[in-house]
Amino acid sequence: MTDQLVIAGRAFSSRLIVGTGKYRTFEEMRRAHHASGADMVTVAVRRVNLSDRTKESLLDYIDREKIFILPNTAACFTADDAVRTARLGREAGLSSWVKLEVIGDEQTLFPETEELIRATKTLVKEGFTVLPYTNDDLIVARKLIDAGAAAVMPLAAPIGSGMGVQNVANLRILRERITEVPLIVDAGVGTASDAAIAMELGADGVLMNTAIAGAQDAVLMAEAMRAGVEAGRKAFLAGRIPKKLYATASSPLTGVVR
């Protein structure tokens, strides 16, 4: 494929990144991953049993020959805590990449941006490839890029809310002003049309978990999300027609014999 998602020099065939939490069984998770076509999945370091590998783990249900694991620092509320968690994931052999989450509020799960920037600086200096979950603030995004982030991952709506894209204007601004690194919409997607809208706005990729894992048929929803991301990407590349207040005839009247 020529239209690949490239992050820090690594190419991914799929622009859909999926999670590993909230599935009813590990087997359901495995089948949903396959249906999604994703070749990168995010794993909460704190959910993985790193001390006793003899026990069943979600890692046993991920084909690491085909799927790249992106550890995340979910449930961290300070930079220091997030940095420790990222280090633990790397030492356990998960990856030197990290989806960096530093949460500032337990109800909204909005990011603590000052701590997020601080953690990014520390981890980049330690050789991590950092993909921070952030808000839709252009200034914060620029600071994260200056700190060495390999991508910026703004929310479309609160995590797990399924509300869809609530911040079209801000995402459009981010798309126009962020060109150095990929822009990946993270959080808020509820269904395939939400994924398509995010991609039509110019996002380089979409990351989701609850929308798939929480669906009545997770495998079928994963398949739908795959199609939504692909359709949205193609529509963005194709270039939509401008919106107009009045009608334009599909068959022009010029040259019509009356």
Side-chain angles (χ1 to χ4, degrees):
M1 293 180 63
T2 57
D3 183 37
Q4 296 178 313
L5 172 61
V6 180
I7 305 173
R10 181 171 185 138
F12 298 91
S13 297
S14 174
R15 292 178 179 271
L16 174 59
I17 306 168
V18 297
T20 52
K22 299 185 178 180
Y23 288 95
R24 286 162 280 259
T25 65
F26 288 149
E27 176 58 26
E28 179 186 57
M29 178 195 75
R30 185 193 64 78
R31 291 188 293 115
H33 287 174
H34 177 74
S36 74
D39 48 2
M40 175 160 51
V41 302
T42 182
V43 174
V45 174
R46 293 185 172 188
R47 290 188 61 241
V48 179
N49 186 344
L50 300 175
S51 58
D52 186 357
R53 295 298 181 88
T54 63
K55 295 182 179 179
E56 184 181 52
S57 166
L58 64 85
L59 295 177
D60 299 331
Y61 292 81
I62 299 174
D63 185 352
R64 298 184 70 172
E65 294 295 321
K66 298 178 180 178
I67 297 177
F68 180 78
I69 289 182
L70 176 65
N72 72 58
T73 61
C76 291
F77 288 82
T78 68
D80 291 340
D81 198 11
V83 168
R84 281 195 297 270
T85 303
R87 289 170 178 162
L88 178 62
R90 181 165 69 178
E91 290 169 4
L94 293 181
S95 179
S96 61
W97 287 42
V98 62
K99 180 198 171 189
L100 183 62
E101 297 183 31
V102 184
I103 301 301
D105 180 75
E106 291 191 35
Q107 283 188 300
T108 63
L109 300 181
F110 287 158
E112 173 30 278
T113 54
E114 290 185 4
E115 292 289 279
L116 182 67
I117 294 167
R118 186 162 73 89
T120 299
K121 291 179 179 178
T122 299
L123 291 171
V124 168
K125 288 179 181 177
E126 294 184 8
F128 282 87
T129 299
V130 182
L131 287 69
Y133 155 72
T134 183
N135 56 21
D136 55 1
D137 186 313
L138 174 65
I139 309 308
V140 172
R142 293 243 60 92
K143 290 181 178 180
L144 289 168
I145 293 170
D146 290 343
V152 289
M153 305 177 75
L155 53 81
I159 291 174
S161 68
M163 293 173 64
V165 178
Q166 298 294 303
N167 47 358
V168 170
N170 284 2
L171 291 180
R172 286 181 61 192
I173 290 170
L174 286 170
R175 175 65 290 163
E176 290 185 8
R177 300 288 298 277
I178 301 297
T179 58
E180 309 94 315
V181 300
L183 179 71
I184 301 171
V185 169
D186 178 13
V189 168
T191 190
S193 59
D194 300 330
I197 288 170
M199 295 302 294
E200 287 172 2
L201 289 171
D204 294 298
V206 178
L207 190 153
M208 65 184 72
N209 182 71
T210 305
I212 295 176
Q216 293 181 29
D217 187 330
V219 177
L220 187 59
M221 182 61 79
E223 186 178 336
M225 290 298 189
R226 176 179 186 171
V229 168
E230 292 174 353
R233 176 64 177 174
K234 290 176 181 178
F236 172 73
L237 293 176
R240 63 157 294 146
I241 63 172
K243 295 181 180 180
K244 298 179 181 179
L245 183 60
Y246 296 101
T248 302
S250 298
S251 299
L253 298 179
T254 304
V256 173
V257 177
R258 295 179 182 274

